[in-house]
Amino acid sequence: MLVKYAIVMSIASVVIMFYLHEYHTSTFIQFRSVYAQLCSTVIHLHTVVLKWFNMGSDIDLRGKRKEMLFSKEKLKKHTDGSKGLYLAILGKVYDVGKGEKFYGPSGSYHFFTGRDGSRAFITGDFTESGLTDDVIGLTPQELHSLHEWAQFYRREYKYLGKVIGRYYDTEGQPTPYYHQVRKLINKAKRTKQEESIEKLSYPPCNSEWSQESGSHVWCSKMSGGIERDWIGVPRQLYEPGSQTHRCACVRENEIDGPFKKGNIKEYPDCNPKSTSCWVYS
């Protein structure tokens, strides 16, 4: 729009200059009688266009939707549905109006609207102090879950822009806090990938517990939600430096050789080659 305006103004200027050059002075005098009105009109158009450009049209010069920047006060106005239902997660704002039954004034997730309550997605603390965008201190697993929530909103709802504050500055540029959180999330994603690889190598055991009999752990071709073509035997898997363990199924051809991950121990009073063990407390 601004480009079209500039082209029109340039053409108009050329026409006026040509007019003044080609016609004699008397004609110029006649032109002066309407010149003031023409200038006033041009100035008015110039002001309107600049106001349109600076005050928030959501379309840029390439015809693409511009990102909007929200102050916390501006975002807070979008909670009752009359001005739209917006929420933010990790500093990014989404229009959740199509989920009004969940996010509207009577919805079960209404407390998320009009703010960035990122931490509460994980902690479940929906008090004023719990609905905060400060996520430092969450565990890698929690940060990974929060990242998945953010991806959910990106897929399901219309992205609008950014919140000025903890994650983005007044120009919409990432803050040092943003980079710190991104670094932690990327680390959490790598940890999750490593855990997935480990679980494929050492799937969790099936387990059950009763007060009378204690814990029963066993391996099958579908234990830990991981389907495979081998069964394995139950072992106590200790992560390096950890004092706790989880039950892992180990391939039969590995039980007498060196293990690739952590420390593996046999369950007491259980046949080393049995696919099932009872753990008495």
Side-chain angles (χ1 to χ4, degrees):
M1 180 68 182
L2 188 61
V3 173
K4 291 181 179 179
Y5 167 74
I7 293 173
V8 170
M9 289 295 98
S10 298
I11 293 174
S13 298
V14 171
V15 170
I16 292 173
M17 291 177 64
F18 178 79
Y19 180 89
L20 294 177
H21 176 74
E22 293 295 327
Y23 291 87
H24 47 74
T25 305
S26 62
T27 306
F28 173 66
I29 293 173
Q30 294 176 6
F31 170 75
R32 287 188 61 185
S33 64
V34 297
Y35 178 73
Q37 183 177 355
L38 177 62
C39 284
S40 177
T41 301
V42 170
I43 291 172
H44 175 71
L45 289 173
H46 178 73
T47 302
V48 169
V49 170
L50 286 182
K51 183 177 180 180
W52 171 86
F53 186 75
N54 292 324
M55 293 302 292
S57 167
D58 60 355
I59 304 298
D60 65 16
L61 296 181
R62 296 168 296 177
K64 295 184 177 180
R65 186 170 297 279
K66 290 166 52 180
E67 286 187 332
M68 299 171 65
L69 294 179
F70 293 82
S71 65
K72 289 185 178 180
E73 293 73 22
K74 180 179 179 180
L75 182 59
K76 196 172 183 179
K77 295 178 181 179
H78 298 277
T79 60
D80 62 3
S82 62
K83 296 183 179 180
L85 292 168
Y86 301 169
L87 66 72
I89 182 169
L90 296 177
K92 292 188 175 180
V93 182
Y94 297 90
D95 182 344
V96 294
K98 72 176 186 178
E100 185 175 1
K101 68 177 181 179
F102 302 110
Y103 299 101
S106 59
S108 54
Y109 297 127
H110 178 62
F111 42 73
F112 278 121
T113 61
R115 69 172 84 217
D116 187 332
S118 295
R119 194 181 190 92
F121 280 96
I122 301 303
T123 64
D125 181 356
F126 305 128
T127 64
E128 282 298 313
S129 59
L131 286 160
T132 175
D133 57 357
D134 185 4
V135 299
I136 297 298
L138 293 178
T139 66
Q141 184 177 1
E142 289 171 333
L143 284 170
H144 188 271
S145 296
L146 182 58
H147 170 70
E148 290 184 333
W149 270 111
Q151 293 298 101
F152 165 77
Y153 282 99
R154 182 179 178 180
R155 289 192 309 269
E156 299 297 326
Y157 293 98
K158 179 181 176 182
Y159 170 69
L160 297 176
K162 301 168 181 174
V163 183
I164 298 170
R166 198 182 295 274
Y167 293 89
Y168 298 97
D169 63 20
T170 54
E171 301 297 321
Q173 296 303 307
T175 63
Y177 186 93
Y178 167 90
H179 291 296
Q180 182 181 5
V181 170
R182 261 339 303 175
K183 184 176 180 180
L184 291 172
I185 288 176
N186 288 336
K187 183 179 179 180
K189 289 166 66 177
R190 289 193 299 270
T191 299
K192 190 71 173 180
Q193 290 171 350
E194 291 170 0
E195 289 176 353
S196 297
I197 293 172
E198 178 197 306
K199 285 186 177 181
L200 289 174
S201 300
Y202 302 104
C205 307
N206 299 303
S207 63
E208 62 182 3
W209 179 89
S210 69
Q211 188 171 1
E212 297 77 18
S213 304
S215 296
H216 178 211
V217 293
W218 72 99
C219 295
S220 66
K221 290 186 177 181
M222 187 57 186
S223 65
I226 297 173
E227 188 173 3
R228 54 195 186 275
D229 59 3
W230 55 275
I231 296 176
V233 294
R235 289 293 187 270
Q236 299 177 43
L237 172 61
Y238 290 83
E239 296 290 339
S242 175
Q243 299 300 312
T244 60
H245 70 274
R246 71 172 178 85
C247 183
C249 293
V250 178
R251 289 180 177 88
E252 290 84 344
N253 61 2
E254 292 186 28
I255 60 177
D256 294 324
F259 295 105
K260 300 176 182 178
K261 179 71 177 178
N263 297 311
I264 303 259
K265 295 182 180 180
E266 296 176 2
Y267 278 98
D269 303 321
C270 183
N271 186 328
K273 295 186 178 181
S274 174
T275 59
S276 175
C277 294
W278 287 93
V279 184
Y280 301 100
S281 55

